[in-house]
């Protein structure tokens, strides 16, 4: 019985994909949370959700920035600008997550007059996060999975009419 040797690229890509999936699930839960504002608000669940989102994003960003991005930057120097933009988006997402965590915490402590503002803030976060995650899944992970011998075609990112 022979077993295949481990493929470190695929193992790392799978780990990142799991993190991305976890973030998407948290976005879904955040959406459910803000849809219930202001009257059906579970303060404990909301607080735990905001904390989990922050830690999940930090872990995913760390994996991307220490494993995926350096490998892609080496193999595909033509996407260096895109990787810089994604790093900036990570910082923005982390800042927004801290703000959401603070706002949800304040709302949970009884500042119920801010339901609309909290809802808007949370929606802004998960809408932009979903867009970022879709880009990671559609372009970044497949390019990483192809490995160092792949060739990036910038034309593949151009808009095409359906």
């Amino acid at each position: 019985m022979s077993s295949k040797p481990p493929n470190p690229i695929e193992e790392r890509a799978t780990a990142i994909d799991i993190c991305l999936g976890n973030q998407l699930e948290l976005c879904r839960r955040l959406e459910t949370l803000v849809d219930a504002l202001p009257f059906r608000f579970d303060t404990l669940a909301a607080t735990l959700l905001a904390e989990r989102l922050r830690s999940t994003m930090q872990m995913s960003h760390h994996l991307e920035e220490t494993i995926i991005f350096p490998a892609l930057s080496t193999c595909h120097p033509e996407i260096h600008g895109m990787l810089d933009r994604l790093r900036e988006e990570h910082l923005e997402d982390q800042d927004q997550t801290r703000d959401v965590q603070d706002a949800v915490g304040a709302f949970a402590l009884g500042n119920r007059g801010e339901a609309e503002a909290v809802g808007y803030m949370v929606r802004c976060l998960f809408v932009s996060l979903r867009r970022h995650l879709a880009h990671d899944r559609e372009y970044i992970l497949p390019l990483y999975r192809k490995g160092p011998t792949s060739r990036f075609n910038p034309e593949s990112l151009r808009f095409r009419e359906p």
Side-chain angles (χ1 to χ4, degrees):
M1 180 187 214
S2 67
S3 64
K4 284 171 99 174
N7 178 341
I9 290 176
E10 187 55 38
E11 288 175 356
R12 291 175 188 136
T14 298
I16 298 288
D17 198 37
I18 290 169
C19 287
L20 298 176
N22 289 340
Q23 288 178 77
L24 285 170
E25 173 60 20
L26 291 169
C27 286
R28 187 192 64 73
R29 290 182 183 189
L30 284 170
E31 186 171 21
T32 300
L33 174 82
V34 296
D35 285 347
L37 287 173
F39 303 111
R40 295 176 322 224
F41 185 76
D42 182 337
T43 57
L44 178 60
T47 303
L48 293 174
L49 182 59
E51 288 174 9
R52 185 165 173 222
L53 177 65
R54 188 172 179 186
S55 64
T56 300
M57 282 178 47
Q58 286 174 337
M59 180 176 42
S60 181
H61 293 168
H62 175 74
L63 290 172
E64 281 185 81
E65 292 179 14
T66 60
I67 295 170
I68 305 291
F69 291 179
L72 290 178
S73 185
T74 300
C75 298
H76 305 286
E78 67 276 11
I79 67 167
H80 186 73
M82 181 190 335
L83 298 176
D84 285 345
R85 179 184 53 80
L86 293 173
R87 282 185 194 94
E88 289 296 319
E89 286 181 14
H90 287 171
L91 293 173
E92 291 171 12
D93 289 344
Q94 289 171 15
D95 287 344
Q96 277 188 295
T97 301
R98 276 190 294 277
D99 292 345
V100 162
Q101 197 171 8
D102 292 345
V104 166
F107 192 84
L109 289 174
N111 190 0
R112 300 299 169 113
E114 300 294 321
E116 191 172 317
V118 169
Y120 180 78
M121 183 183 294
V122 173
R123 283 186 198 284
C124 287
L125 173 63
F126 70 71
V127 166
S128 69
L129 187 55
R130 282 177 174 158
R131 189 176 303 121
H132 181 102
L133 296 171
H135 181 266
D136 283 351
R137 279 198 160 156
E138 292 171 14
Y139 296 105
I140 299 300
L141 278 179
L143 189 59
Y144 178 75
R145 279 187 163 114
K146 288 180 183 176
T149 59
S150 68
R151 288 284 151 232
F152 176 72
N153 178 5
E155 289 298 313
S156 68
L157 298 179
R158 289 199 189 279
F159 176 78
R160 288 175 178 68
E161 292 294 329

